[in-house]
Amino acid sequence: MALIPVTILTGFLGSGKTTLLKHILTEQHGKKIAVIENEFGEENIDNDILVQDNQENIVQMSNGCICCTIRGDLVEALNTLWEQRKDKKISFERVVIETTGIANPGPVAQTFFMDDDVADHYVLDAVVTLVDAKHGQHQLTEHEEAQRQVGFADQIFITKTDLVTPAEVEALRNRLMHMNPRAPIQGISKGIVPLDAVLDLKGFNLNAKLEIDPHFLAQEDHDHTDCGHDHSHDHHDHSHDHHGHAGHTDRIQSFVFRSDKPFDHKKLEDFLGGILEVFGEKMLRYKGVLYVKGSKQKVVFQGVHQMMGSDMAGLWGTETKQTRMVFIGIDLPKDTLLAGLEGCLA
């Protein structure tokens, strides 16, 4: 039985989640989606587009989608949807969960690993975060929840780009990239995010794909003048960036570890176990493709807080064997962690 993919949709107040949900629930896109809406949403869209019986919190929409509003427990809502689907009362192929504008998506993501019933029927596809171009900078500075939403994202959309200057969008993009270099960032103006850009992203797959924004890596290299490459051609790209994020005191930040030397498997396992124990709560997302001594295959690992999974991926083949890991967290001691990882190399 194939698992049902679930997308978590998050973003601060006014970032455009309601517009996107309305689109899912009313447009003729031909997809069978169950939308789980948190009742504490900032703008209750139900009254505009649903006629519903008070007892019934699962409603079939005219375009075939299902809307389920929850006031209580997410696990219960997912299990109820599953039961109804099994009894052929409703039909859906995927689920989108809207978290409230001020929520931290972490616990919602963890549900898919912690709860056996949920894990038997559903698979977390991705966390998609919307950031409002006009108010995003301010929200990120004022609210740690907004930063967490960015830190957890597998895909980020900057909405309402038509309301600000290109330079403002660029500054926001830069800031987001430093918080989370593993999530692709896309700008959209006037509304709707195309559904294909939101669904089936496989952001939580343990696959060997680790997208790290190349600009972020180029900037990282600027910080290490010993890397010996000639960066003169990039300067026009990056010189302004440094001013762009110089003033940030974002508690959520990311760093990348790269090495062409292989890891000693045992040392690495002990070290990662140790840092998860100490910093697990502060580690939002981490993912890596590892070059491990004695293995012809890539090892991929990723996690949320203290929960980490790893897996063997394809053979290295002809490409350069290289470890790349990205860590996204709150006040993580970057230098200590990088030095610790260096110490695990064979």
Side-chain angles (χ1 to χ4, degrees):
M1 198 65 188
L3 295 173
I4 295 172
V6 178
T7 303
I8 296 175
L9 179 64
T10 181
F12 219 67
L13 306 174
S15 61
K17 295 195 303 289
T18 304
T19 313
L20 180 56
L21 286 178
K22 251 182 199 166
H23 171 60
I24 294 173
L25 292 172
T26 53
E27 297 290 314
Q28 297 306 319
H29 45 62
K31 299 182 197 290
K32 289 193 177 307
I33 303 173
V35 173
I36 297 181
E37 237 204 307
N38 256 328
E39 259 300 67
F40 328 102
E42 53 271 17
E43 180 192 336
N44 198 334
I45 59 174
D46 304 351
N47 311 340
D48 310 342
I49 55 177
L50 316 180
V51 177
Q52 70 180 67
D53 174 354
N54 289 341
Q55 286 74 50
E56 187 52 84
N57 64 352
I58 295 181
V59 182
Q60 183 98 29
M61 310 302 293
S62 57
N63 67 350
C65 288
I66 307 286
C67 183
C68 165
T69 46
I70 56 168
R71 293 164 185 77
D73 188 41
L74 176 62
V75 174
E76 213 172 294
L78 287 165
N79 289 339
T80 305
L81 281 173
W82 175 261
E83 290 302 325
Q84 296 216 10
R85 182 177 186 261
K86 203 174 68 183
D87 299 343
K88 307 262 187 290
K89 290 184 186 157
I90 55 176
S91 153
F92 60 90
E93 288 146 16
R94 60 188 71 244
V95 175
V96 173
I97 297 174
E98 180 213 10
T99 65
T100 62
I102 49 176
N104 165 14
V108 179
Q110 278 183 303
T111 304
F112 293 86
F113 302 98
M114 306 277 263
D115 189 277
D116 292 342
D117 282 346
V118 170
D120 286 346
H121 305 312
Y122 297 96
V123 59
L124 184 53
D125 179 58
V127 176
V128 175
T129 300
L130 275 53
V131 180
D132 171 344
K134 199 166 167 57
H135 303 111
Q137 290 276 20
H138 175 69
Q139 289 166 344
L140 289 170
T141 302
E142 292 292 309
H143 302 280
E144 195 171 299
E145 291 83 357
Q147 291 192 26
R148 281 177 189 254
Q149 291 169 355
V150 170
F152 266 104
D154 294 299
Q155 168 72 51
I156 296 171
F157 290 102
I158 300 179
T159 58
K160 309 186 187 174
T161 52
D162 50 319
L163 302 181
V164 296
T165 64
E168 285 172 285
V169 174
E170 199 43 43
L172 179 58
R173 178 189 292 272
N174 223 330
R175 182 172 182 182
L176 295 171
M177 195 177 17
H178 277 81
M179 287 184 184
N180 183 343
R182 55 172 286 281
I185 300 172
Q186 225 172 309
I188 45 170
S189 65
K190 301 195 169 57
I192 304 295
V193 182
L195 282 186
D196 315 351
V198 172
L199 306 172
D200 293 324
L201 301 179
K202 303 204 172 15
F204 262 87
N205 259 26
L206 268 175
N207 58 18
K209 204 174 81 180
L210 176 60
E211 301 290 350
I212 302 175
D213 192 295
H215 285 300
F216 182 82
L217 290 178
Q219 292 181 5
E220 288 280 285
D221 286 341
H222 279 284
D223 303 340
H224 309 305
T225 42
D226 58 3
C227 65
H229 300 303
D230 172 20
H231 283 299
S232 50
H233 63 284
D234 303 328
H235 276 302
H236 63 279
D237 285 349
H238 294 303
S239 50
H240 65 278
D241 293 352
H242 287 293
H243 311 300
H245 60 261
H248 292 164
T249 47
D250 292 329
R251 293 189 61 204
I252 292 191
Q253 290 187 334
S254 57
F255 60 89
V256 175
F257 176 80
R258 287 185 292 175
S259 176
D260 296 333
K261 296 182 188 145
F263 274 123
D264 174 311
H265 182 252
K266 181 80 186 82
K267 282 184 187 169
L268 181 64
E269 206 165 83
D270 292 348
F271 177 70
L272 288 175
I275 61 172
L276 287 186
E277 219 159 281
V278 180
F279 300 112
E281 269 314 301
K282 295 186 159 187
M283 290 170 67
L284 302 185
R285 290 291 299 273
Y286 42 96
K287 184 166 184 173
V289 179
L290 313 180
Y291 168 29
V292 175
K293 189 180 176 181
S295 169
K296 291 192 173 75
Q297 286 173 286
K298 300 172 181 176
V299 177
V300 290
F301 87 109
Q302 75 150 331
V304 173
H305 290 313
Q306 289 93 331
M307 285 176 303
M308 183 173 82
S310 68
D311 216 350
M312 288 297 198
L315 294 166
W316 280 105
T318 52
E319 62 188 294
T320 311
K321 299 184 175 81
Q322 187 193 44
T323 287
R324 290 187 316 166
M325 304 163 89
V326 60
F327 294 88
I328 298 169
I330 305 170
D331 299 333
L332 291 177
K334 174 177 168 176
D335 297 340
T336 309
L337 296 181
L338 289 174
L341 289 166
E342 283 287 337
C344 300
L345 296 172

